[in-house]
């Protein structure tokens, strides 16, 4: 946790709350995503995932926007006429995809707290998060077709199951900008708050609510939901039966029942 990052910052705003903030931290460049970001992001998530004091992660952007997408200088250097081989570019894209997928590999839930712009690579990031909320000033754009690209870091794979196939197709083919309120109508975000201040308070409340639950149950729930997304119902039921048969005997279950009977708050084991 002590590690210093060039493009990220980790903050524990309230000690012992279990809620840690991971900030995209290049505000002057509107949190544009560089090579440093793609190598640091999975390391930061791994560190948070393996820190027993962390129950929930809030991902937000420093400054006036959440994220302006890929750093355009990086796109220019990987673009047409580039001397690199197709195979090395493919490896680079796979590595960048893997960096974003670290959000799903992280066992702890990640809440995307979105204000201002969320463009291109920003959409790749938020669609790999577990919960998405925004302020009314937020705006979104699946920008890649405007740059003569098919989005390749996860948006086209994850967005359809979030907003529906037809909506995903329209947003990705037109690259039209849409508001926080429309994002709520589409189901891209689950809550929209009036202001950045209200967003910060609302996100803190959601994160703290999750942080009071059994970490084992929270991690299990994220794992089962994500795995079930890509399975049939029968396969998903089989998966959760196997997972829970190994976990139902946990001390947390006894503690939850005892706390309920004794009308007190439960104290759960750390992961
Ligand atoms: C292998 C391929 C893998 C991934 C591909 C991903 C594709 C994408 O992500 S596509 C999306 C690319 N992003 C964009 O097109 C957004 C460009 N930026 C903007 O539209 C605006 O900057 C804004 C985000 C709406 C913010 O506007 P505003 O608040 O007015 O700030 P600006 O004055 O425009 O910018 C301030 C400063 O930041 C620099 N900057 C902004 N975005 C980027 C970026 N994406 N890459 C690099 N730099 C960026 C901008 O140039 C300004 O720099 P100065 O030096 O201060 O002029």
């Amino acid at each position: 946790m002590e590690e210093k990052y060039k493009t990220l910052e980790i903050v524990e705003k309230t000690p012992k709350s279990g809620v840690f903030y991971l900030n995209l931290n290049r505000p002057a460049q509107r949190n544009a995503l560089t090579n440093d970001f793609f190598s640091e992001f999975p390391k930061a998530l791994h560190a948070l995932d393996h820190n027993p004091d962390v129950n929930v992660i809030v991902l937000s952007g420093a400054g006036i926007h959440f994220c302006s997408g890929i750093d355009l200088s990086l796109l220019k250097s990987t673009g047409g006429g580039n001397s690199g081989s197709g195979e090395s570019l493919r490896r680079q894209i796979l590595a960048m995809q893997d960096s974003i997928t670290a959000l799903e590999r992280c066992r702890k839930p990640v809440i995307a707290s979105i204000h201002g712009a969320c463009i291109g690579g920003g959409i790749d990031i938020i669609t790999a998060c577990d919960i998405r909320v925004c302020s009314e000033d937020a705006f979104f754009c699946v920008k890649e077709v405007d740059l003569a690209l098919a989005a390749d870091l996860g948006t086209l794979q994850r967005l359809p199951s979030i907003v529906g196939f037809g909506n995903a197709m329209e947003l990705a083919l037109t690259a039209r900008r849409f508001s926080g309120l429309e994002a709520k109508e589409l189901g891209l975000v689950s809550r929209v708050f009036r202001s950045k201040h209200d967003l910060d308070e609302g996100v803190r409340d959601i994160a703290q609510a999750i942080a009071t639950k059994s970490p084992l149950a929270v991690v299990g729930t994220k794992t089962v939901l994500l795995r079930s997304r890509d399975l049939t119902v029968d396969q998903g039921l089989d998966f959760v039966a196997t997972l829970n048969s190994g976990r139902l005997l946990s001390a947390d279950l006894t503690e939850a029942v005892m706390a309920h009977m004794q009308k007190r708050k439960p104290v759960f084991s750390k992961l």
Side-chain angles (χ1 to χ4, degrees):
M1 201 64 66
E2 296 302 312
E3 189 165 349
K4 286 264 174 273
Y5 301 100
K6 287 185 190 162
T7 66
L8 298 166
E9 175 194 41
I10 294 177
V11 183
E12 185 188 13
K13 287 189 189 167
T14 309
K16 298 194 189 306
S17 66
V19 179
F20 279 66
Y21 289 76
L22 176 58
N23 297 324
L24 308 177
N25 196 27
R26 295 180 73 227
Q29 295 80 22
R30 310 311 189 225
N31 302 318
L33 309 172
T34 56
N35 277 330
D36 282 333
F37 163 81
F38 286 105
S39 74
E40 290 179 347
F41 195 52
K43 288 181 195 155
L45 286 165
H46 186 271
L48 289 164
D49 196 11
H50 288 79
N51 180 341
D53 293 333
V54 178
N55 293 23
V56 185
I57 300 158
V58 175
L59 180 64
S60 59
I64 60 175
H65 297 289
F66 177 76
C67 176
S68 65
I70 195 94
D71 193 297
L72 292 171
S73 60
L74 184 56
L75 266 194
K76 204 169 143 212
S77 66
T78 50
N82 170 284
S83 56
S85 71
E87 187 46 36
S88 77
L89 190 50
R90 179 181 148 78
R91 276 200 297 272
Q92 189 183 344
I93 294 168
L94 288 171
M96 291 160 89
Q97 291 172 348
D98 191 66
S99 170
I100 305 286
T101 300
L103 286 159
E104 290 186 348
R105 267 199 309 276
C106 175
R107 297 165 307 157
K108 318 268 172 80
V110 184
I111 304 172
S113 174
I114 307 147
H115 72 293
C118 178
I119 300 176
I123 306 270
D124 291 312
I125 290 174
I126 65 163
T127 50
C129 290
D130 305 304
I131 297 175
R132 289 163 291 279
V133 293
C134 72
S135 50
E136 275 185 16
D137 79 341
F139 59 95
F140 301 81
C141 179
V142 184
K143 181 79 177 155
E144 282 82 347
V145 283
D146 281 348
L147 297 171
L149 282 171
D152 54 6
L153 302 186
T155 292
L156 300 184
Q157 289 66 38
R158 296 185 176 106
L159 191 62
S161 66
I162 298 170
V163 300
F165 193 81
N167 287 322
M169 194 65 102
E170 187 220 310
L171 297 173
L173 290 178
T174 63
R176 78 172 168 83
R177 179 169 155 163
F178 57 103
S179 68
L181 288 172
E182 187 178 348
K184 169 78 174 72
E185 276 170 30
L186 289 165
L188 178 59
V189 298
S190 54
R191 304 273 296 274
V192 63
F193 294 91
R194 283 255 165 90
S195 62
K196 172 76 165 69
H197 176 265
D198 289 357
L199 172 69
D200 291 342
E201 289 198 339
V203 167
R204 185 201 55 204
D205 291 348
I206 296 168
Q208 280 182 355
I210 297 170
T212 62
K213 314 291 181 201
S214 154
L216 198 62
V218 168
V219 161
T221 300
K222 171 169 175 168
T223 305
V224 171
L225 269 169
L226 277 180
R227 184 65 74 89
S228 300
R229 178 193 63 186
D230 304 326
L231 296 175
T232 64
V233 171
D234 277 351
Q235 290 166 336
L237 288 169
D238 191 59
F239 177 74
V240 72
T242 306
L243 184 116
N244 269 4
S245 61
R247 288 187 173 184
L248 274 179
L249 299 174
S250 84
D252 277 5
L253 174 59
T254 314
E255 171 62 7
V257 175
M258 292 302 289
H260 180 77
M261 289 165 69
Q262 294 167 359
K263 301 187 192 318
R264 61 171 174 82
K265 284 188 178 164
V267 181
F268 294 120
S269 325
K270 291 184 177 196
L271 268 186

